[in-house]
Amino acid sequence: TVADSSFNRKVPVSLLVAAVLMLAGAGAAVALKPTHMIADDKPAMDLERIVPKAFGQWRTDDSIAPLTVDPTVQAKLDAIYSQSLQRTFINNRGERVMVSIAYGKNQNSQSTAVHRPEFCYGAQGFHVENRGLSELQLTTHSIKTVRLLADQDDRIEPITYWVTLNEDASIPGLDRKLAQLRYGLQGLIVDGMLVRVSSFARDKNSVDYSLHQEFLREMEEALPAEFKPRFFGS
C-alpha cells in the first residue's frame, strides 16, 4: 500500500510557532479572566437606604422627577447596572437639584458609557453642550467632574457628573480605561457608579453650577462614613 504523501510533508516552522502562540494566548486569556468581585468584600450597596431623603437644608421633592429614559435605553441600563436611584431635592430657598445614581458590581468594560449624560440626554432629544471640567471641593478632598448644559425647548439643565471605580472618583477617558485594565489584569471585577446632578436655569446666560457644589458637599457629609469613598472617592 502506498502511504499518503501528505504524511511525508514537513509542517512549516512558522505554522508551528503560530499554533503555539495561539494556544498560549488562549491559555493566558483564561488565566487572566477576572473572576473575583471586589463588591463581595465590601458592605452591600443599597442606594435607597444609603442616600438620605433629607439632609442639611435639603429634602426630597416628589413633584418633579429627574430625566427618565426611553424603554430601549432603560433595558440596556438594567443589563449594566444592578441598582439606580433618581430623586429630586429642594432647599429652603425653593431651589431644586435632581440626582441620578447608577451602581454596578461589574465596571470592567466600556459598555457603561450608555448611561453617560451626553448620550442619555441626547437620546431624549436634548441638545447637549460640554462646559468643560471642574474641581468639586469636598470637606476633605476634591474630585474632577464633567460639566454639561442640556436644553430642549424651555427646559435648560446645567449638569455635573463623575464616575467611580472601587473607591476612586474619576472622569471618563484614558485614565479610567487604564484603571479598568489594571483591575482586570489582577483578576478583579471592579464595582463603581455614575453620579449625576442637575438643576434648572432660566436661560443660558444665567447658568450657575455653584448650587451643585453646595448640594454635593452637604450630600457627601450626610452619607455613612464607610460608603463615602464609593460615591466621592478618597
Side-chain angles (χ1 to χ4, degrees), residues 42 135-144 162-171 183 193 195 220 223-234:
K42 306 176 186 178
E135 291 281 335
L136 171 61
Q137 298 295 328
L138 301 168
T139 305
T140 60
H141 67 289
S142 64
I143 62 175
K144 287 184 179 180
W162 68 93
V163 291
T164 67
L165 284 177
N166 194 13
E167 296 184 353
D168 296 318
S170 64
I171 57 176
Y183 281 110
M193 63 179 69
V195 183
E220 193 261 351
L223 292 177
E226 66 270 27
F227 287 99
K228 287 183 182 182
R230 297 170 73 178
F231 287 77
F232 291 92
S234 58

CSV table of all heavy atoms in Angstrom, one decimal, residues 42 135-144 162-171 183 193 195 220 223-234:
chain,number,residue,atom,x,y,z
A,42,LYS,N,-17.1,44.1,50.4
A,42,LYS,CA,-17.5,45.4,51.0
A,42,LYS,C,-18.9,45.2,51.6
A,42,LYS,O,-19.6,44.3,51.2
A,42,LYS,CB,-17.5,46.5,49.9
A,42,LYS,CG,-16.2,46.7,49.2
A,42,LYS,CD,-16.4,47.7,48.1
A,42,LYS,CE,-15.2,47.9,47.2
A,42,LYS,NZ,-15.5,48.9,46.2
A,135,GLU,N,-13.3,71.2,39.4
A,135,GLU,CA,-13.0,70.6,40.6
A,135,GLU,C,-14.1,70.7,41.6
A,135,GLU,O,-14.6,71.9,41.9
A,135,GLU,CB,-11.7,71.2,41.2
A,135,GLU,CG,-10.4,70.9,40.4
A,135,GLU,CD,-9.9,69.6,40.7
A,135,GLU,OE1,-10.1,69.0,41.8
A,135,GLU,OE2,-9.2,69.0,39.8
A,136,LEU,N,-14.6,69.6,42.1
A,136,LEU,CA,-15.6,69.6,43.2
A,136,LEU,C,-14.9,69.6,44.5
A,136,LEU,O,-14.3,68.6,44.9
A,136,LEU,CB,-16.6,68.4,43.0
A,136,LEU,CG,-17.6,68.2,44.2
A,136,LEU,CD1,-18.5,69.4,44.3
A,136,LEU,CD2,-18.4,66.9,43.9
A,137,GLN,N,-15.1,70.7,45.3
A,137,GLN,CA,-14.4,70.8,46.6
A,137,GLN,C,-15.3,70.2,47.6
A,137,GLN,O,-16.4,70.7,47.9
A,137,GLN,CB,-14.1,72.3,46.9
A,137,GLN,CG,-13.2,73.0,45.9
A,137,GLN,CD,-11.8,72.4,45.9
A,137,GLN,OE1,-11.3,71.9,47.0
A,137,GLN,NE2,-11.1,72.4,44.8
A,138,LEU,N,-14.8,69.1,48.2
A,138,LEU,CA,-15.5,68.4,49.3
A,138,LEU,C,-14.8,68.8,50.7
A,138,LEU,O,-13.9,69.6,50.7
A,138,LEU,CB,-15.5,66.9,49.1
A,138,LEU,CG,-16.1,66.5,47.8
A,138,LEU,CD1,-15.8,65.0,47.5
A,138,LEU,CD2,-17.6,66.7,47.8
A,139,THR,N,-15.3,68.2,51.7
A,139,THR,CA,-14.8,68.6,53.1
A,139,THR,C,-13.3,68.2,53.2
A,139,THR,O,-12.5,69.0,53.7
A,139,THR,CB,-15.6,67.9,54.2
A,139,THR,OG1,-17.0,68.2,54.0
A,139,THR,CG2,-15.1,68.3,55.5
A,140,THR,N,-12.9,67.0,52.7
A,140,THR,CA,-11.5,66.5,53.0
A,140,THR,C,-10.7,66.5,51.7
A,140,THR,O,-9.5,66.3,51.8
A,140,THR,CB,-11.6,65.1,53.6
A,140,THR,OG1,-12.3,64.2,52.7
A,140,THR,CG2,-12.3,65.2,54.9
A,141,HIS,N,-11.3,66.5,50.5
A,141,HIS,CA,-10.6,66.4,49.3
A,141,HIS,C,-11.4,67.0,48.1
A,141,HIS,O,-12.5,67.4,48.3
A,141,HIS,CB,-10.2,64.9,49.0
A,141,HIS,CG,-11.3,64.1,48.7
A,141,HIS,ND1,-12.3,63.7,49.7
A,141,HIS,CD2,-11.8,63.5,47.6
A,141,HIS,CE1,-13.2,62.9,49.1
A,141,HIS,NE2,-12.9,62.8,47.9
A,142,SER,N,-10.8,67.0,46.9
A,142,SER,CA,-11.6,67.4,45.8
A,142,SER,C,-11.5,66.3,44.7
A,142,SER,O,-10.6,65.5,44.7
A,142,SER,CB,-11.0,68.7,45.2
A,142,SER,OG,-9.6,68.5,44.8
A,143,ILE,N,-12.5,66.4,43.8
A,143,ILE,CA,-12.5,65.4,42.7
A,143,ILE,C,-12.8,66.1,41.4
A,143,ILE,O,-13.4,67.2,41.4
A,143,ILE,CB,-13.6,64.3,42.9
A,143,ILE,CG1,-15.0,64.9,43.0
A,143,ILE,CG2,-13.3,63.5,44.2
A,143,ILE,CD1,-16.1,63.9,43.1
A,144,LYS,N,-12.4,65.6,40.3
A,144,LYS,CA,-12.7,66.1,39.0
A,144,LYS,C,-14.1,65.7,38.5
A,144,LYS,O,-14.5,64.6,38.7
A,144,LYS,CB,-11.7,65.6,37.9
A,144,LYS,CG,-10.3,66.2,38.1
A,144,LYS,CD,-9.4,65.8,36.9
A,144,LYS,CE,-8.1,66.4,37.0
A,144,LYS,NZ,-7.2,66.0,35.9
A,162,TRP,N,-19.7,62.6,37.5
A,162,TRP,CA,-18.4,61.9,37.5
A,162,TRP,C,-18.7,60.4,37.7
A,162,TRP,O,-19.8,60.0,37.8
A,162,TRP,CB,-17.5,62.4,38.7
A,162,TRP,CG,-18.1,62.0,40.1
A,162,TRP,CD1,-17.7,60.9,40.8
A,162,TRP,CD2,-19.0,62.8,40.8
A,162,TRP,NE1,-18.4,60.9,42.0
A,162,TRP,CE2,-19.2,62.1,42.1
A,162,TRP,CE3,-19.7,64.0,40.6
A,162,TRP,CZ2,-20.1,62.5,43.0
A,162,TRP,CZ3,-20.6,64.4,41.6
A,162,TRP,CH2,-20.7,63.7,42.8
A,163,VAL,N,-17.7,59.6,37.6
A,163,VAL,CA,-17.8,58.2,37.7
A,163,VAL,C,-16.8,57.7,38.8
A,163,VAL,O,-15.8,58.4,39.1
A,163,VAL,CB,-17.5,57.4,36.4
A,163,VAL,CG1,-18.6,57.7,35.4
A,163,VAL,CG2,-16.2,57.8,35.8
A,164,THR,N,-17.0,56.5,39.3
A,164,THR,CA,-16.1,55.9,40.2
A,164,THR,C,-15.8,54.5,39.8
A,164,THR,O,-16.6,53.8,39.2
A,164,THR,CB,-16.7,55.9,41.7
A,164,THR,OG1,-17.8,55.0,41.7
A,164,THR,CG2,-17.2,57.2,42.1
A,165,LEU,N,-14.6,54.0,40.3
A,165,LEU,CA,-14.2,52.7,40.2
A,165,LEU,C,-13.7,52.3,41.6
A,165,LEU,O,-12.8,53.0,42.1
A,165,LEU,CB,-13.1,52.4,39.2
A,165,LEU,CG,-13.4,52.4,37.7
A,165,LEU,CD1,-12.2,52.3,36.9
A,165,LEU,CD2,-14.4,51.3,37.4
A,166,ASN,N,-14.3,51.3,42.2
A,166,ASN,CA,-13.9,51.0,43.6
A,166,ASN,C,-14.1,52.2,44.4
A,166,ASN,O,-15.2,52.7,44.6
A,166,ASN,CB,-12.5,50.4,43.6
A,166,ASN,CG,-12.2,49.7,44.9
A,166,ASN,OD1,-13.1,49.4,45.7
A,166,ASN,ND2,-10.9,49.4,45.2
A,167,GLU,N,-13.0,52.8,45.0
A,167,GLU,CA,-13.1,53.9,45.8
A,167,GLU,C,-12.3,55.1,45.2
A,167,GLU,O,-11.8,56.0,45.9
A,167,GLU,CB,-12.6,53.6,47.2
A,167,GLU,CG,-13.4,52.6,47.9
A,167,GLU,CD,-13.0,52.3,49.4
A,167,GLU,OE1,-12.0,52.9,49.8
A,167,GLU,OE2,-13.7,51.6,50.1
A,168,ASP,N,-12.2,55.1,43.9
A,168,ASP,CA,-11.6,56.2,43.2
A,168,ASP,C,-12.6,56.9,42.3
A,168,ASP,O,-13.2,56.3,41.4
A,168,ASP,CB,-10.4,55.6,42.3
A,168,ASP,CG,-9.3,55.0,43.1
A,168,ASP,OD1,-9.0,55.6,44.1
A,168,ASP,OD2,-8.8,53.9,42.7
A,169,ALA,N,-12.7,58.2,42.5
A,169,ALA,CA,-13.5,59.1,41.6
A,169,ALA,C,-12.7,59.6,40.4
A,169,ALA,O,-11.5,59.9,40.5
A,169,ALA,CB,-14.1,60.3,42.4
A,170,SER,N,-13.3,59.6,39.2
A,170,SER,CA,-12.6,60.0,38.0
A,170,SER,C,-13.6,60.5,37.0
A,170,SER,O,-14.8,60.7,37.3
A,170,SER,CB,-11.9,58.8,37.4
A,170,SER,OG,-12.7,57.8,37.0
A,171,ILE,N,-13.1,60.7,35.8
A,171,ILE,CA,-14.0,61.1,34.7
A,171,ILE,C,-13.7,60.2,33.6
A,171,ILE,O,-12.7,59.5,33.5
A,171,ILE,CB,-13.7,62.6,34.3
A,171,ILE,CG1,-12.2,62.8,33.9
A,171,ILE,CG2,-14.1,63.6,35.3
A,171,ILE,CD1,-11.9,64.1,33.4
A,183,TYR,N,-7.3,46.5,37.0
A,183,TYR,CA,-8.1,45.6,37.9
A,183,TYR,C,-8.3,44.3,37.2
A,183,TYR,O,-8.2,43.2,37.8
A,183,TYR,CB,-9.5,46.3,38.1
A,183,TYR,CG,-9.5,47.3,39.2
A,183,TYR,CD1,-9.6,48.6,38.9
A,183,TYR,CD2,-9.3,46.9,40.6
A,183,TYR,CE1,-9.6,49.6,40.0
A,183,TYR,CE2,-9.3,47.9,41.6
A,183,TYR,CZ,-9.5,49.2,41.3
A,183,TYR,OH,-9.5,50.2,42.3
A,193,MET,N,-19.8,53.4,40.1
A,193,MET,CA,-21.1,54.1,39.8
A,193,MET,C,-20.9,55.4,39.0
A,193,MET,O,-19.8,55.9,38.8
A,193,MET,CB,-21.8,54.4,41.1
A,193,MET,CG,-21.1,55.4,42.0
A,193,MET,SD,-22.0,55.8,43.5
A,193,MET,CE,-22.0,54.2,44.4
A,195,VAL,N,-22.5,59.2,39.1
A,195,VAL,CA,-23.3,60.1,39.9
A,195,VAL,C,-23.5,61.4,39.1
A,195,VAL,O,-22.6,62.0,38.6
A,195,VAL,CB,-22.5,60.5,41.2
A,195,VAL,CG1,-23.4,61.4,42.1
A,195,VAL,CG2,-22.1,59.2,42.0
A,220,GLU,N,-22.4,64.7,50.6
A,220,GLU,CA,-21.2,63.9,51.0
A,220,GLU,C,-21.1,63.8,52.5
A,220,GLU,O,-20.8,62.7,53.1
A,220,GLU,CB,-20.0,64.5,50.4
A,220,GLU,CG,-18.7,63.6,50.5
A,220,GLU,CD,-17.8,64.0,51.6
A,220,GLU,OE1,-18.1,65.0,52.2
A,220,GLU,OE2,-16.9,63.2,51.9
A,223,LEU,N,-23.6,61.2,54.1
A,223,LEU,CA,-23.5,59.7,53.8
A,223,LEU,C,-22.8,59.0,54.9
A,223,LEU,O,-21.9,59.6,55.6
A,223,LEU,CB,-22.8,59.5,52.5
A,223,LEU,CG,-23.4,59.9,51.2
A,223,LEU,CD1,-22.5,59.7,50.0
A,223,LEU,CD2,-24.7,59.2,51.0
A,224,PRO,N,-23.1,57.7,55.2
A,224,PRO,CA,-22.4,57.0,56.2
A,224,PRO,C,-20.9,56.9,55.8
A,224,PRO,O,-20.6,56.8,54.6
A,224,PRO,CB,-23.0,55.6,56.1
A,224,PRO,CG,-24.4,55.8,55.5
A,224,PRO,CD,-24.3,57.0,54.6
A,225,ALA,N,-20.0,57.0,56.8
A,225,ALA,CA,-18.6,57.1,56.5
A,225,ALA,C,-18.1,56.0,55.7
A,225,ALA,O,-17.2,56.2,54.8
A,225,ALA,CB,-17.9,57.2,57.9
A,226,GLU,N,-18.5,54.8,55.9
A,226,GLU,CA,-18.0,53.6,55.2
A,226,GLU,C,-18.4,53.6,53.7
A,226,GLU,O,-17.8,52.9,52.9
A,226,GLU,CB,-18.4,52.3,55.8
A,226,GLU,CG,-19.9,52.0,55.7
A,226,GLU,CD,-20.7,52.6,56.9
A,226,GLU,OE1,-20.3,53.5,57.5
A,226,GLU,OE2,-21.7,52.0,57.3
A,227,PHE,N,-19.4,54.4,53.3
A,227,PHE,CA,-19.8,54.5,51.9
A,227,PHE,C,-19.3,55.7,51.1
A,227,PHE,O,-19.4,55.7,49.9
A,227,PHE,CB,-21.3,54.4,51.8
A,227,PHE,CG,-21.9,53.0,52.1
A,227,PHE,CD1,-22.4,52.7,53.4
A,227,PHE,CD2,-21.8,52.0,51.2
A,227,PHE,CE1,-22.9,51.5,53.7
A,227,PHE,CE2,-22.3,50.7,51.5
A,227,PHE,CZ,-22.9,50.5,52.7
A,228,LYS,N,-18.8,56.7,51.9
A,228,LYS,CA,-18.5,58.0,51.2
A,228,LYS,C,-17.5,57.8,50.1
A,228,LYS,O,-17.6,58.3,49.0
A,228,LYS,CB,-17.9,58.9,52.2
A,228,LYS,CG,-18.9,59.6,53.1
A,228,LYS,CD,-18.3,60.6,54.1
A,228,LYS,CE,-19.4,61.1,55.0
A,228,LYS,NZ,-18.8,62.1,55.9
A,229,PRO,N,-16.4,57.0,50.3
A,229,PRO,CA,-15.4,56.8,49.2
A,229,PRO,C,-16.0,56.2,47.9
A,229,PRO,O,-15.5,56.4,46.8
A,229,PRO,CB,-14.3,55.9,49.8
A,229,PRO,CG,-14.5,56.1,51.3
A,229,PRO,CD,-15.9,56.3,51.5
A,230,ARG,N,-17.0,55.4,48.1
A,230,ARG,CA,-17.6,54.7,46.9
A,230,ARG,C,-18.4,55.6,46.1
A,230,ARG,O,-18.7,55.3,44.9
A,230,ARG,CB,-18.4,53.5,47.4
A,230,ARG,CG,-17.5,52.4,48.1
A,230,ARG,CD,-18.3,51.4,48.8
A,230,ARG,NE,-18.9,50.4,47.8
A,230,ARG,CZ,-19.5,49.3,48.2
A,230,ARG,NH1,-19.7,49.1,49.5
A,230,ARG,NH2,-20.0,48.5,47.3
A,231,PHE,N,-18.8,56.7,46.7
A,231,PHE,CA,-19.6,57.8,45.9
A,231,PHE,C,-18.7,58.9,45.5
A,231,PHE,O,-18.8,59.4,44.3
A,231,PHE,CB,-20.7,58.4,46.8
A,231,PHE,CG,-21.9,57.5,47.0
A,231,PHE,CD1,-21.8,56.5,47.9
A,231,PHE,CD2,-23.1,57.7,46.4
A,231,PHE,CE1,-22.9,55.7,48.2
A,231,PHE,CE2,-24.2,57.0,46.6
A,231,PHE,CZ,-24.1,55.9,47.5
A,232,PHE,N,-17.7,59.3,46.3
A,232,PHE,CA,-16.9,60.5,46.1
A,232,PHE,C,-15.4,60.3,46.1
A,232,PHE,O,-14.7,61.2,46.1
A,232,PHE,CB,-17.2,61.5,47.2
A,232,PHE,CG,-18.6,62.1,47.2
A,232,PHE,CD1,-19.7,61.5,47.9
A,232,PHE,CD2,-18.9,63.2,46.4
A,232,PHE,CE1,-21.0,62.1,47.8
A,232,PHE,CE2,-20.2,63.8,46.3
A,232,PHE,CZ,-21.2,63.2,47.1
A,233,GLY,N,-15.0,59.0,46.0
A,233,GLY,CA,-13.6,58.8,46.1
A,233,GLY,C,-13.0,59.1,47.4
A,233,GLY,O,-13.7,59.4,48.4
A,234,SER,N,-11.7,59.0,47.5
A,234,SER,CA,-11.0,59.3,48.7
A,234,SER,C,-9.7,60.0,48.5
A,234,SER,O,-9.2,60.1,47.4
A,234,SER,CB,-10.7,58.0,49.5
A,234,SER,OG,-10.0,57.1,48.7
